[in-house]
Amino acid sequence: MPRSTVLLASALLIAGLLPGARAEEEGSIRTEHGAVRLVTVASGLERPWGMAFLPDGRLLVTEKPGRLRLVSQEGKVGPPLGGVPTVDAAGQGGLLDVALDPEFGTNRLVYVSYAEPRDGGNGTAVARGRLTETGLEDVQVIFRQQPTVQSGHHFGSRLVFARDGRLFVTLGERNSERARAQDLDSHIGKVVRIERDGGVPSDNPFVGRAGALPEIWSYGHRNVQGAAPHPVTGELWTNEHGPKGGDELNRTLAGRNYGWPKVTYGVEYSGKKISDSPTAPGIESPVHYWVPSIATSGLLFYTGDRFPAWRGNAFVGGLKSEQLSRLEFDGNRVVHEEVLLRGVVRDRVRDVEQGPDGLIYLLTDEGDGRLLRIEPAE
């Protein structure tokens, strides 16, 4: 082979332009604030969905078919842990998010959300159990989305603990039940706020209101699959899937209506119009939206020291778009977006988290899913 051909092939491999090439993950990737490197920490995960760092640096990772695994700091993937509830792993359902109790260091409690199989269909549920080296013990279901629906779509579901120790659970509108996202007598298309044992906080916005479920925090959501507390205010922020276009980033406040399906920036997949206007009185407009859709997933507000220029920025994973969006703010207003990793990661980005080392970790939602780490290119 001529030397020029060899050099050209090498250059294309490094640039990630040859089919299946992943060499650039160990190389330098330019961003607006310096170069970073994307490193594969672990692979061989089947449709990983959520992750939570343990105090010792290990990572709990959920796999959508119903497995919970421990991943070591060196990237060794452990065997499936026992005690995980049975899941309905059809369509978009399965084992979804995982979160540690705020007092995990003393009680070892772990929370998981999942699509729960039920008579007549399924629904998003949350269970908690005590973590041992072999699995979860004393598992209890603390929340069940009602009503049960026969559907394989739009389960949510992220778990976020607020500063006061209350648990936010994001829920989808199950696709077939979209109109009920506006009704307060169901959990369809809602964010709920519960105590760690599943009880209802007395200061929830609809407590005592006739015809309203007291767990509800906010309503009018389509399918919220990213959630995180704001690092300064502590407020809950979420991102959700629009239909065709209209993915949203929302400041998710108590008692507020976020519009679906009354208003949206998107349209039906057929192209048919859903709403005459993307805004309406009494409905919260998104802080930021995407047209066309990027298929939003995990949400992170970065607070670490390894990327000083990114401190306070939000990071939003993209499934269909296979990217990571970095958002800069002026107060609660997005003033700039940088698209990262498009054409580099080449997989659906399902979750994004900040590690205890101040680096950014991603999960890719693939049959051979990976745990990736973004670090400075030194």
Side-chain angles (χ1 to χ4, degrees):
M1 182 182 295
R3 183 172 182 270
S4 60
T5 303
V6 173
L7 291 174
L8 175 60
S10 299
L12 289 172
L13 180 65
I14 293 172
L17 298 179
L18 290 182
R22 297 192 187 275
E24 75 278 1
E25 290 179 10
E26 300 299 330
S28 181
I29 302 166
R30 284 182 292 181
T31 79
E32 293 175 355
H33 294 286
V36 300
R37 181 168 53 242
L38 186 66
V39 176
T40 299
V41 178
S43 59
L45 297 162
E46 185 177 1
R47 299 286 174 188
W49 211 97
M51 55 179 159
F53 282 93
L54 299 180
D56 63 9
R58 292 182 296 171
L59 193 62
L60 277 173
V61 176
T62 61
E63 291 177 306
K64 193 165 158 284
R67 294 180 292 270
L68 179 66
R69 297 183 187 270
L70 279 168
V71 179
S72 72
Q73 295 182 54
E74 297 75 31
K76 181 180 179 181
V77 179
L81 298 173
V84 176
T86 300
V87 308
D88 190 348
Q92 297 171 357
L95 185 60
L96 304 174
D97 209 9
V98 59
L100 305 186
D101 189 274
E103 298 178 16
F104 177 83
T106 57
N107 63 26
R108 304 288 293 178
L109 287 176
V110 170
Y111 298 70
V112 292
S113 64
Y114 58 102
E116 179 185 53
R118 305 173 188 166
D119 289 341
N122 51 37
T124 303
V126 179
R128 72 173 186 178
R130 184 168 54 85
L131 181 66
T132 71
E133 287 301 313
T134 57
L136 300 179
E137 295 183 351
D138 306 320
V139 176
Q140 299 174 309
V141 179
I142 63 167
F143 173 80
R144 287 184 166 98
Q145 182 186 33
Q146 298 295 341
T148 295
V149 177
Q150 184 67 57
S151 173
H153 296 89
H154 299 187
F155 294 90
S157 157
R158 289 293 171 191
L159 303 175
V160 174
F161 279 101
R163 289 175 179 174
D164 62 7
R166 271 60 179 268
L167 177 62
F168 288 108
V169 186
T170 74
L171 304 166
E173 38 74 287
R174 309 308 315 279
N175 191 34
S176 61
E177 305 296 313
R178 63 165 63 175
R180 301 196 69 175
Q182 288 293 316
D183 299 334
L184 296 176
D185 62 353
S186 81
H187 297 129
I188 301 296
K190 310 299 191 298
V191 173
V192 299
R193 176 179 180 249
I194 58 176
E195 303 284 4
R196 287 183 279 173
D197 62 0
V200 177
S202 60
D203 59 347
N204 269 7
F206 298 107
V207 167
R209 177 167 168 174
L213 296 182
E215 299 90 358
I216 294 173
W217 177 260
S218 59
Y219 63 108
H221 298 286
R222 186 172 182 267
N223 192 20
V224 179
Q225 292 195 342
H230 192 279
V232 177
T233 66
E235 294 172 341
L236 178 69
W237 286 56
T238 61
N239 63 54
E240 65 183 88
H241 291 259
K244 186 178 181 181
D247 292 355
E248 296 181 359
L249 174 69
N250 286 305
R251 182 176 168 226
T252 310
L253 304 175
R256 304 294 178 87
N257 181 359
Y258 289 84
W260 180 256
K262 284 186 173 182
V263 298
T264 177
Y265 282 89
V267 297
E268 301 284 11
Y269 290 106
S270 66
K272 181 181 178 181
K273 185 166 60 175
I274 296 174
S275 62
D276 292 327
S277 171
T279 62
I283 291 177
E284 297 295 310
S285 294
V287 173
H288 188 68
Y289 63 92
W290 289 265
V291 176
S293 294
I294 66 171
T296 55
S297 56
L299 173 63
L300 164 71
F301 284 98
Y302 184 72
T303 60
D305 296 324
R306 300 298 300 275
F307 304 102
W310 289 354
R311 198 174 296 122
N313 293 178
F315 290 82
V316 177
L319 295 166
K320 177 183 68 175
S321 56
E322 299 180 348
Q323 68 178 52
L324 186 66
S325 284
R326 182 182 66 84
L327 304 176
E328 297 178 5
F329 294 85
D330 179 3
N332 292 320
R333 186 169 60 92
V334 174
V335 295
H336 179 66
E337 177 178 6
E338 179 184 14
V339 175
L340 304 172
L341 307 183
R342 184 181 291 171
V344 175
V345 67
R346 292 203 190 91
D347 284 327
R348 292 157 51 90
V349 178
R350 171 60 73 179
D351 198 12
V352 51
E353 300 286 348
Q354 179 178 315
D357 54 9
L359 300 175
I360 296 174
Y361 289 77
L362 311 175
L363 286 177
T364 66
D365 179 18
E366 303 291 341
D368 182 12
R370 295 174 293 154
L371 172 64
L372 305 174
R373 182 175 65 235
I374 300 174
E375 56 187 45
E378 298 173 346

